[in-house]
Amino acid sequence: MKFDFGSLQEEDSPYPEVRASVSNIDDPDMPVLTVRMWLVGLSLSFIGSAMNVFFNFRQPAPIVIPIVILLIAHPLGKFLSYCLPITVYRLPRFLGGAQFSLNPCPWNIKEHALVFVMTNVSVGPAYALNAVVVAEFYYNIHLGFGFCFLLLLATQLTGFGLAGLCRRFLVWPASMVWPQNLLTCTVLNTLHAEENENAGISRFRHFMYVFTGAFFFFFLPGYLFEALSIFSWVCWIAPNNVPLNQVFGVASGLGMSVLTFDWTNISWIGNPFMIPWWAEVHIFAGFVLFYWILTPILYYTNTWNFAHFPMFGSEPYDRFGETYDVARVLTPQDTFNLTAYEEYSPLYLPAAFSMTYLLAFALSTCVIVHTLLYHGRTLLNGFKRIRVEDDDIHLKLMRNYPEVPDWWYGTVFVVFFSLAIVAVEVWDVGMPVWALLLSVLLPIIYVLPSGFIYAMTGQAISLNLLAQIIPGTLLPGQPLANMIFKVYSVQTLTESTSFVQDLKLGHYIKIPPRATFIVQLVSTLLGAFLQVGVKQWIFSSVPDICAPDQKSHLTCPHNKVFFTASAIWGLIGPSRQFGPKSIYNPQLYAIIVGAILPLPFWFMQRRRPDSWAKFVSTPVVLLGVSFIPPATGINYSSWFAVGFVFQYVIRKRNFAWWSKYNYVTGAALDCGTVLSLIAIFFMLQLPRGGFNVNWWGNSVFLNSASSHLFLRLCRLSGLCCTQLPILQTRRCSRHREIIRSLHRERKEGTYSLGL
């Protein structure tokens, strides 16, 4: 039977987002695992990884993200393809006699994509480093290079094995779009494709225009005119109007100012050009419901004593209204001091922070029930090895390449989980093997529910809350075991979704699956070794590392947060925070509510398939607001406004423009802004302590009740007048006298919330 290749090339993805950014043709003869790919990829991965480990301990600091390396790799690849010899070399017969060339062809898109894959899985600082640093610096538990290396390998690569076993559910089906990959594919195709400009401006030229504009424009909100970033213009008009600042303020208010001109704030939740419109509607609706309606109601009614603390605070507080001082409930040996805890204070959560926990409880069961209801048949067919969906053009083209057997990924999973067992058994970390099994069971349960949502919406699920509460309950008083449980669960799920995302990118670019497997495995192994080495070198050669006054600003800010979490959940424990005697105990009922939430919409859809209920996804509504804190209202409102313009209005009215330029525009804004941020840091903020521009545009947003006044009074009085409910403030005729009294009592140490 003669096959019609022409008709195959005319076939395309059923999804317009994919058609707009992913090519539907392939060249199976294109070289992939070339010498220059390894040279460029490993070099940039090592440099980026080492820089990120160093910056992880510094404040302030930039971060080297894969999209930056993607841009840097292109001219390097072009240069090598120009200068390397094209001579064909032959290996000796005893080595197989294979032929190879240092320069087999022009720098191509598949090599470039593999460089990105290599950096995406290895350039970020390993999450497990936080546990090792906290154990050494705060708990004085020195476990050495061997434990650190094994822990990093186990946490990074157990997820790799898990990811490969999910391909038939998360990679091969066309409905698993993976929006993040659409921007990456757009950049790759823009840099490598040759277009006819007679049909209008090319994608490459459009990309360069937007990229250049974003690079130079970010100097305004990022350095010269920072008020454009914290654009709470209503608060500038009446900086001392408390109700106004609570509604429109960004630092501690609801952030209803709507607009910001800082792309890093707009894209905090995700690039609005990337996330589908239906998902953006779900996310913003969830934000409005839970944070612009429900949170103020709870706050102004003083539910769970919320009115005594900042509405959108991102830290726990004590009964004096101060940030919770974990050191006051620890012994000199960094163990829990129950007497000091009872004398000091329970731990209190501000309104937005508490709402985040409540929604996390609901999401933990909601996503499981939703997956079983809406994807149960798909899962059952996949486990039976029955085709989940009809093959699209991309899967048909990938049939040209041999697939990676499942047993390869299964072996990786078993080997690196065994290394985790070795680590907790050889070194005394207080973590039994059954707890380690439980820690890996969590990501196994959540990898498919998380993957389905991530692949369709671009929003990732984190196990952070569950991975702290479970070990805190089962292994009380053991902060190191709590941290290991947490990093193994959280990182395994994070890495598995990251690896699956890269597998889908290889699927879109038509990279042979075995080449992707080799690149991911090698880069992660070498990256783990490098990161442990860099960490060991920094801590052995830098004096006063992690000290607050360290002269190079290596104060370890992320590790301090990690230590606080380990003390709260590993020492104080979840039983004191959410137990029967805690005021937050009712939040646990959200677990039951979350399991029930998907049911009415599912039953309605079953009864009336064409009803509006088929468009509702309850996990997305709950998940989309998980960026709070530290995100605030202005991040969501500005993000939704941009998404409304480009993902709804332009797409509906000018689909041709949207198809050609939407993802190019989003990718260019990301790339230009990130490079501008790095340039500002190294050129203007790092040298000689930084060069500051002191004028009204860089200080006006600090003089409102939402930021400056709120912070000053909250630290002075413990019960901040700007954070009392509006009605309560209006009814208080002796307001100033009360505040003066609170100041006096706070100085004498006699003031508390009376709780």
Side-chain angles (χ1 to χ4, degrees):
M1 178 178 178
K2 188 176 180 180
F3 192 80
D4 186 0
F5 286 96
S7 64
L8 182 65
Q9 290 188 2
E10 293 174 0
E11 184 181 350
D12 212 331
S13 170
Y15 297 94
E17 297 85 356
V18 179
R19 294 198 300 268
S21 54
V22 181
S23 174
N24 63 337
I25 59 175
D26 180 37
D27 178 6
D29 298 323
M30 190 177 290
V32 179
L33 296 176
T34 62
V35 174
R36 67 182 175 216
M37 185 279 297
W38 287 108
L39 181 62
V40 173
L42 290 177
S43 299
L44 293 179
S45 295
F46 288 167
I47 294 171
S49 183
M51 291 176 65
N52 280 338
V53 172
F54 175 81
F55 289 139
N56 186 58
F57 301 119
R58 194 182 191 279
Q59 180 68 24
I63 183 170
V64 180
I65 61 176
I67 195 70
V68 174
I69 295 180
L70 179 72
L71 295 177
I72 297 174
H74 189 56
L76 290 178
K78 287 279 192 179
F79 174 75
L80 291 178
S81 68
Y82 174 77
C83 65
L84 287 178
I86 61 174
T87 307
V88 177
Y89 301 94
R90 183 186 296 274
L91 292 175
R93 183 172 298 177
F94 67 88
L95 293 177
Q99 295 181 345
F100 70 95
S101 173
L102 298 178
N103 194 3
C105 68
W107 173 249
N108 66 65
I109 189 172
K110 295 187 180 182
E111 293 175 287
H112 201 174
L114 280 178
V115 170
F116 178 83
V117 168
M118 194 179 296
T119 58
N120 199 39
V121 299
S122 63
V123 77
Y127 194 54
L129 282 179
N130 292 300
V132 175
V133 171
V134 169
E136 293 179 354
F137 186 79
Y138 293 98
Y139 294 111
N140 199 29
I141 302 173
H142 296 274
L143 300 168
F145 180 89
F147 175 82
C148 187
F149 182 58
L150 288 181
L151 184 64
L152 256 69
L153 282 181
T155 54
Q156 298 284 96
L157 284 164
T158 302
F160 177 43
L162 190 59
L165 299 175
C166 299
R167 289 168 297 165
R168 61 178 43 86
F169 305 105
L170 301 177
V171 176
W172 299 341
S175 60
M176 300 294 105
V177 174
W178 292 92
Q180 292 88 341
N181 285 333
L182 301 183
L183 288 182
T184 307
C185 289
T186 300
V187 174
L188 288 168
N189 285 309
T190 299
L191 294 176
H192 290 271
E194 296 181 1
E195 293 187 74
N196 181 13
E197 294 199 25
N198 292 331
I201 184 174
S202 68
R203 288 188 178 189
F204 179 76
R205 182 166 294 190
H206 180 85
F207 176 88
M208 293 307 301
Y209 287 159
V210 178
F211 170 85
T212 305
F215 179 87
F216 288 106
F217 178 81
F218 185 72
F219 277 80
L220 288 176
Y223 184 72
L224 297 173
F225 194 176
E226 295 176 7
L228 294 176
S229 177
I230 313 296
F231 196 63
S232 52
W233 60 275
V234 180
C235 300
W236 307 348
I237 299 172
N240 297 318
N241 187 311
V242 174
L244 191 73
N245 278 263
Q246 286 184 317
V247 173
F248 294 99
V250 175
S252 63
L254 296 174
M256 290 188 178
S257 302
V258 179
L259 292 178
T260 175
F261 297 91
D262 184 346
W263 181 249
T264 61
N265 275 333
I266 296 173
S267 60
W268 186 283
I269 307 159
N271 193 311
F273 291 83
M274 166 194 74
I275 297 175
W277 170 242
W278 70 267
E280 292 180 341
V281 172
H282 276 71
I283 293 168
F284 190 66
F287 168 76
V288 171
L289 173 64
F290 294 117
Y291 287 96
W292 274 0
I293 298 176
L294 184 56
T295 296
I297 291 174
L298 296 175
Y299 180 80
Y300 292 130
T301 57
N302 199 24
T303 304
W304 295 326
N305 300 299
F306 287 154
H308 298 292
F309 311 108
M311 187 187 302
F312 267 72
S314 59
E315 296 177 314
Y317 291 84
D318 59 23
R319 62 193 176 100
F320 303 106
E322 300 278 3
T323 300
Y324 199 87
D325 186 0
V326 176
R328 292 185 60 173
V329 299
L330 300 180
T331 66
Q333 293 75 35
D334 288 318
T335 59
F336 181 60
N337 189 331
L338 179 59
T339 303
Y341 172 79
E342 293 175 344
E343 293 176 351
Y344 173 41
S345 172
L347 186 144
Y348 296 97
L349 300 174
F353 207 161
S354 185
M355 180 61 67
T356 300
Y357 277 118
L358 188 147
L359 296 177
F361 284 129
L363 180 64
S364 64
T365 52
C366 178
V367 69
I368 299 293
V369 174
H370 177 89
T371 300
L372 293 176
L373 293 176
Y374 290 86
H375 302 282
R377 186 176 298 275
T378 298
L379 294 175
L380 186 61
N381 290 339
F383 288 128
K384 290 180 178 180
R385 295 183 178 273
I386 300 174
R387 181 181 297 181
V388 175
E389 292 182 9
D390 292 334
D391 294 352
D392 69 343
I393 179 61
H394 303 293
L395 185 55
K396 291 176 181 178
L397 292 173
M398 289 298 288
R399 301 291 188 199
N400 290 321
Y401 307 104
E403 191 53 73
V404 178
D406 285 342
W407 70 266
W408 287 20
Y409 287 106
T411 301
V412 170
F413 180 87
V414 171
V415 168
F416 289 99
F417 179 67
S418 301
L419 290 182
I421 296 176
V422 170
V424 300
E425 285 291 290
V426 173
W427 284 269
D428 184 17
V429 295
M431 186 172 186
V433 175
W434 63 262
L436 189 66
L437 287 168
L438 184 58
S439 71
V440 79
L441 181 62
L442 279 178
I444 290 175
I445 293 173
Y446 280 93
V447 63
L448 287 176
S450 172
F452 285 133
I453 292 178
Y454 201 15
M456 292 186 287
T457 69
Q459 301 295 303
I461 291 177
S462 174
L463 292 175
N464 212 306
L465 180 62
L466 290 178
Q468 293 178 118
I469 289 180
I470 291 175
T473 304
L474 300 178
L475 302 169
Q478 299 189 49
L480 180 56
N482 185 284
M483 290 190 295
I484 294 175
F485 189 106
K486 175 183 174 180
V487 298
Y488 201 69
S489 286
V490 172
Q491 190 68 357
T492 298
L493 181 61
T494 302
E495 288 298 317
S496 63
T497 51
S498 178
F499 280 116
V500 173
Q501 178 183 332
D502 288 336
L503 289 173
K504 186 67 175 187
L505 177 64
H507 184 86
Y508 279 151
I509 304 297
K510 320 301 182 299
I511 299 172
R514 297 188 178 187
T516 306
F517 177 89
I518 293 171
V519 166
Q520 287 181 317
L521 184 61
V522 171
S523 59
T524 307
L525 281 169
L526 297 179
F529 185 83
L530 174 72
Q531 291 198 14
V532 175
V534 172
K535 176 262 171 189
Q536 294 289 101
W537 170 75
I538 292 175
F539 276 75
S540 62
S541 59
V542 176
D544 301 323
I545 185 74
C546 294
D549 55 351
Q550 210 282 331
K551 63 179 182 180
S552 298
H553 303 288
L554 296 172
T555 57
C556 309
H558 303 293
N559 305 122
K560 289 179 180 178
V561 174
F562 204 88
F563 163 69
T564 301
S566 73
I568 291 172
W569 299 108
L571 292 176
I572 297 176
S575 60
R576 293 185 179 88
Q577 190 64 25
F578 295 102
K581 297 181 180 180
S582 170
I583 61 173
Y584 302 109
N585 178 258
Q587 290 196 6
L588 296 180
Y589 289 103
I591 297 175
I592 301 174
V593 174
I596 298 173
L597 273 178
L599 294 175
F601 301 103
W602 184 75
F603 282 122
M604 192 181 301
Q605 178 187 349
R606 296 275 293 181
R607 188 171 182 179
R608 296 181 179 178
D610 295 329
S611 68
W612 57 270
K614 68 179 181 180
F615 300 108
V616 177
S617 177
T618 48
V620 179
V621 175
L622 299 176
L623 174 63
V625 294
S626 59
F627 293 91
I628 300 174
T632 62
I634 200 170
N635 299 113
Y636 280 85
S637 57
S638 58
W639 170 82
F640 183 73
V642 174
F644 173 75
V645 172
F646 286 90
Q647 291 286 58
Y648 179 73
V649 176
I650 293 180
R651 174 173 171 157
K652 186 176 181 180
R653 297 187 178 183
N654 194 341
F655 186 76
W657 188 97
W658 182 90
S659 298
K660 187 173 183 179
Y661 297 120
N662 178 72
Y663 291 101
V664 177
T665 305
L669 287 170
D670 274 351
C671 297
T673 302
V674 168
L675 288 180
S676 179
L677 191 152
I678 294 175
I680 290 171
F681 176 80
F682 283 107
M683 293 190 305
L684 301 172
Q685 294 178 342
L686 184 62
R688 299 181 181 180
F691 303 99
N692 298 317
V693 180
N694 298 315
W695 73 294
W696 174 87
N698 284 343
S699 62
V700 61
F701 59 92
L702 297 174
N703 298 324
S704 67
S706 174
S707 52
H708 174 70
L709 185 61
F710 143 66
L711 292 172
R712 178 167 58 86
L713 289 178
C714 192
R715 294 183 185 278
L716 281 174
S717 65
L719 181 61
C720 180
C721 65
T722 66
Q723 293 300 312
L724 287 170
I726 293 176
L727 295 177
Q728 184 178 340
T729 304
R730 288 177 176 173
R731 291 174 183 172
C732 183
S733 60
R734 299 176 58 250
H735 182 63
R736 294 187 179 181
E737 288 76 12
I738 289 176
I739 293 299
R740 293 194 187 100
S741 175
L742 291 174
H743 286 195
R744 183 173 61 256
E745 292 177 10
R746 182 70 186 92
K747 292 178 181 179
E748 296 171 356
T750 58
Y751 166 73
S752 73
L753 297 180
L755 304 172

